[in-house]
Amino acid sequence: MGFDEEELLIQKVCEIYDNISTLKSLKPSKDVNTLFTQLVLTCMPPSPIDVTKLPVTVQEIRSKLICLCGQAEGLLESHFSTLLGSFETPLDHINIFPYYTNYLKLGHLEFTILNKHIANPNPNRIAFIGSGPLPLTSIVLASYLRTTTFHNYDIDPLANALALNLVSADADLSKRMFFHTTDIMNVSSVLNDYDVIFLAALVGMNKEEKSTIIDHLAEYMAPGSILMLRSAHGARGFLYPIIEPSDLSGFEVLSVFHPVDEVINSVIIARKYKKKPVLAHSVIDHQGVAPAMVLPTKCSDIQGFNPTDRSSMIEELAIHDQEQLI
């Protein structure tokens, strides 16, 4: 990307931010959907831009955009969770959520990743931090992991109430899905009980907050347990906080996925060290093909997209010359 292209990208993002900022409400509407779709389409093409090194004024806009995206997602999910909750059996109608198919594909991807890196293919307990009013990741994964219990953490009591209402009528999930209303920073020893912990993209609205949460998880998670978190790369960093592998102190980074298609988020998979590492790891780049999908995101209304067989670049971090962890 040349200087002029980068300037045009920044100018377009700033213009969209100005328009979003004038909205009276971020609740689902034609104007809200249109503007956030424009934002996503602007940021989605692969770009070498490093949004963390832009001028201070642009950094401030980026921070505000991430917050606006978070608010919009919460309102979108609350709207559809309330609508679903009006049915006698909410999960029978879950496909009315515009991005349900995307969550199915995302769940399959994450299930495949877990199978590759987890010792026990049927983990006993999984935690999802930042589950929100529509905990589709947990619901979808539960269809693959039939004996696993899912503990969903959210700081918002209303979000948990709406989420609980969705699964209460389901004979299976009502016994395996639990909701905890608390700040994850107030949870300590219980984190040791989970085989896998998912960290939502917007838990920690900036790098500093997210790094603090990751350090907290590193302190209390069980040795050998898995952490899966979502980040962003290139211009997509205008939509989500960016976390680098170097920010994961206390974890062995297993893989980092940087898609270049409609998948918005990068995904980092890491394992809590069983003991302090003594040798550094090296980074090796690979190119491969990832399942094409549209990642569900609060910042978009891209229902018109049809997943196609497009290649994605995947960056794998391989661990070399490191003594075997005990």
Side-chain angles (χ1 to χ4, degrees), residues 227-278:
L227 174 64
M228 298 188 68
L229 57 89
R230 294 165 192 164
S231 179
H233 187 67
R236 301 168 189 217
F238 282 112
L239 310 177
Y240 293 99
I242 293 176
I243 291 295
E244 301 291 350
S246 58
D247 299 320
L248 293 171
S249 177
F251 291 92
E252 173 194 10
V253 177
L254 303 173
S255 297
V256 178
F257 297 82
H258 289 318
V260 296
D261 56 7
E262 292 91 348
V263 179
I264 302 301
N265 284 111
S266 301
V267 179
I268 302 177
I269 307 99
R271 178 182 290 118
K272 169 74 178 291
Y273 277 120
K274 295 185 179 180
K275 68 177 183 179
K276 187 176 180 179
V278 295

Side-chain angles (χ1 to χ4, degrees), residues 44-276:
M44 186 166 53
S47 167
I49 189 172
D50 186 347
V51 297
T52 66
K53 296 181 179 179
L54 296 177
V56 173
T57 53
V58 181
Q59 292 286 358
E60 291 174 352
I61 289 176
R62 175 183 171 241
S63 296
K64 293 175 182 178
L65 264 180
I66 290 173
C67 291
L68 289 170
C69 286
Q71 294 172 33
E73 178 182 73
L75 292 169
L76 177 70
E77 292 189 357
S78 292
H79 171 79
F80 278 98
S81 186
T82 300
L83 179 60
L84 285 165
S86 66
F87 293 100
E88 184 175 350
T89 53
L91 297 185
D92 289 345
H93 306 273
I94 202 166
N95 59 353
I96 68 173
F97 182 63
Y99 310 110
Y100 176 61
T101 300
N102 302 330
Y103 271 99
L104 287 175
K105 295 173 181 178
L106 177 62
H108 176 72
L109 172 63
E110 292 179 326
F111 174 71
T112 302
I113 293 172
L114 273 179
N115 269 347
K116 180 178 179 181
H117 293 293
I118 196 169
N120 178 9
N122 295 295
N124 293 321
R125 292 160 61 94
I126 289 178
F128 194 98
I129 302 171
S131 49
L134 198 59
L136 285 177
T137 297
S138 293
I139 291 172
V140 171
L141 285 176
S143 68
Y144 291 100
L145 303 169
R146 307 294 273 177
T147 61
T148 302
T149 58
F150 291 82
H151 291 256
N152 301 282
Y153 287 85
D154 202 284
I155 201 170
D156 183 359
L158 177 58
N160 274 340
L162 289 170
L164 177 61
N165 186 49
L166 294 181
V167 302
S168 294
D170 188 278
D172 174 38
L173 292 186
S174 61
K175 299 175 182 177
R176 297 196 290 128
M177 201 80 71
F178 304 92
F179 298 89
H180 308 275
T181 303
T182 185
D183 186 332
I184 199 62
M185 295 299 292
N186 296 328
V187 182
S188 54
S189 59
V190 174
L191 296 174
N192 189 74
D193 297 336
Y194 300 116
D195 303 292
V196 182
I197 293 182
F198 286 80
L199 184 62
L202 289 170
V203 175
M205 300 297 286
N206 55 55
K207 183 172 181 175
E208 291 72 26
E209 291 179 3
K210 193 174 288 287
S211 294
T212 299
I213 295 169
I214 291 171
D215 290 343
H216 178 75
L217 296 177
E219 181 176 357
Y220 291 105
M221 284 175 63
S225 58
I226 294 291
L227 174 64
M228 298 188 68
L229 57 89
R230 294 165 192 164
S231 179
H233 187 67
R236 301 168 189 217
F238 282 112
L239 310 177
Y240 293 99
I242 293 176
I243 291 295
E244 301 291 350
S246 58
D247 299 320
L248 293 171
S249 177
F251 291 92
E252 173 194 10
V253 177
L254 303 173
S255 297
V256 178
F257 297 82
H258 289 318
V260 296
D261 56 7
E262 292 91 348
V263 179
I264 302 301
N265 284 111
S266 301
V267 179
I268 302 177
I269 307 99
R271 178 182 290 118
K272 169 74 178 291
Y273 277 120
K274 295 185 179 180
K275 68 177 183 179
K276 187 176 180 179

